[in-house]
Amino acid sequence: REGDDEDDDQNQKQGLIRGGDENNDAETQKRKRRTAEAEETRIAGSYETAIRLLAEEEEDKEDNEERGENVTLTEEAKREEAKQILLAVVNHEMMRENDELTPTLCSVKKLALRNLGNLFAKECGEFEFEEEFEDFFEGSEDDKDDDDDDDEGKRRREKLSSKSSVSSQSYSFEQAIRCYSEAVRMDREDVASWLRMGELSAKRGDVALARMAFESGLLAQPTHALLLNELCEVCVLVGDEASATFLAARILNSDRRN
């Protein structure tokens, strides 16, 4: 009987230990959940801050245009700050696995990627530099005179600066495409990102990527007017007359219905 009592005591102790461990685990999970929720709120707040900065930058730009003034350092600073915030949002450790994102974080990441892509796209310009190099910097015989050495040096510096600008634009283009690609990977029906990817690729001269983007967007929304128009123009550009004619008919039918 004494042996049975000792066994009972031992079992009770073990039960208390197990119960204590379970309580500790539950409390730990609660703390982790509260921490994750707080961090999610902070991430969403950071995204909202970036969007507010972009809205303020756009307002400043419109005001300056009305006054006939150029872009100010304040505008550029706001745009750059917004970009850095958005980069921090999409690269946050809680954003790494798309399958594990909460609905809030999933929405924030998609929107942040799209807006970040738009910022990089703005940095790309119209890609005219490469075409202008030869005409703008092509020297004449007079440039070889000793009296024009200073001008020649200035032109060389300007050429290097412009080449650097083209390199920067190429980087921005690649980053923009990466952002749009990640956004549509998360949501294949993100028509806005498909459209922006296609438009940017067309400007860059990558008609294959542009066509793929426009066609993918139309799979999600077959009657999207801008996508139909852009895809039709790409088909004309590559000489695909059959597709261009088909798309033109769809555009005309869509216009009649509207």
Side-chain angles (χ1 to χ4, degrees):
R1 185 175 298 174
E2 290 180 358
D4 292 340
D5 291 340
E6 290 179 359
D7 291 339
D8 291 340
D9 291 341
Q10 187 67 22
N11 290 334
Q12 288 178 359
K13 289 179 181 179
Q14 290 177 354
L16 289 173
I17 292 174
R18 284 196 298 271
D21 290 341
E22 291 173 357
N23 290 335
N24 289 336
D25 290 342
E27 188 63 30
T28 299
Q29 291 300 322
K30 286 182 180 180
R31 284 198 296 268
K32 287 182 177 180
R33 189 161 52 249
R34 285 195 295 267
T35 300
E37 290 172 353
E39 190 64 11
E40 179 177 304
T41 301
R42 191 189 70 79
I43 293 171
S46 296
Y47 169 76
E48 292 173 357
T49 297
I51 298 305
R52 185 170 62 251
L53 284 169
L54 292 176
E56 292 174 357
E57 183 262 340
E58 190 63 28
E59 290 177 0
D60 293 343
K61 181 180 178 181
E62 292 177 357
D63 292 341
N64 288 335
E65 287 177 351
E66 291 178 359
R67 293 193 297 265
E69 299 176 359
N70 294 325
V71 177
T72 65
L73 292 176
T74 302
E75 292 175 49
E76 293 180 352
K78 286 182 179 179
R79 186 164 58 246
E80 182 61 27
E81 183 179 356
K83 185 172 77 171
Q84 294 304 319
I85 292 173
L86 291 173
L87 282 169
V89 167
V90 299
N91 290 318
H92 193 282
E93 61 180 359
M94 289 180 66
M95 296 290 204
R96 290 175 183 171
E97 299 296 333
N98 291 337
D99 295 338
E100 298 178 2
L101 295 178
T102 65
T104 297
L105 288 182
C106 185
S107 178
V108 167
K109 185 175 182 179
K110 286 189 295 184
L111 292 172
L113 284 166
R114 187 192 303 166
N115 282 281
L116 191 57
N118 292 344
L119 284 174
F120 280 117
K122 285 183 179 180
E123 296 175 357
C124 295
E126 297 297 330
F127 304 102
E128 295 173 348
F129 289 92
E130 293 177 348
E131 298 175 0
E132 294 176 355
F133 277 159
E134 187 173 349
D135 294 333
F136 188 80
F137 294 110
E138 187 175 20
S140 64
E141 292 297 325
D142 294 337
D143 293 333
K144 298 178 182 179
D145 296 341
D146 293 338
D147 294 339
D148 293 334
D149 284 346
D150 291 341
D151 291 339
E152 182 67 21
K154 182 179 180 180
R155 277 192 291 272
R156 287 176 179 175
R157 288 192 296 272
E158 289 175 344
K159 184 174 182 179
L160 289 173
S161 176
S162 294
K163 285 183 176 180
S164 176
S165 178
V166 170
S167 177
S168 176
Q169 288 180 343
S170 297
Y171 171 79
S172 295
F173 168 78
E174 292 170 359
Q175 293 303 308
I177 295 300
R178 285 182 63 185
C179 289
Y180 293 137
S181 297
E182 179 64 16
V184 297
R185 190 171 72 86
M186 295 180 67
D187 181 5
R188 300 293 295 181
E189 297 186 359
D190 184 358
V191 175
S193 292
W194 283 124
L195 177 62
R196 291 295 291 143
M197 185 193 300
E199 290 175 334
L200 189 59
S201 300
K203 281 185 178 181
R204 182 68 174 177
D206 191 339
V207 291
L209 181 56
R211 182 168 186 169
M212 182 279 295
F214 295 141
E215 289 177 341
S216 297
L218 285 170
L219 287 175
Q221 194 169 332
T223 59
H224 194 285
L226 283 176
L227 286 169
L228 286 169
N229 284 326
E230 295 287 354
L231 180 56
C232 185
E233 290 182 7
V234 168
C235 289
V236 171
L237 186 63
V238 299
D240 187 351
E241 296 181 3
S243 295
T245 301
F246 172 74
L247 289 165
R250 287 181 60 184
I251 293 169
L252 288 174
N253 290 332
S254 177
D255 287 342
R256 289 196 189 101
R257 286 195 299 270
N258 294 331

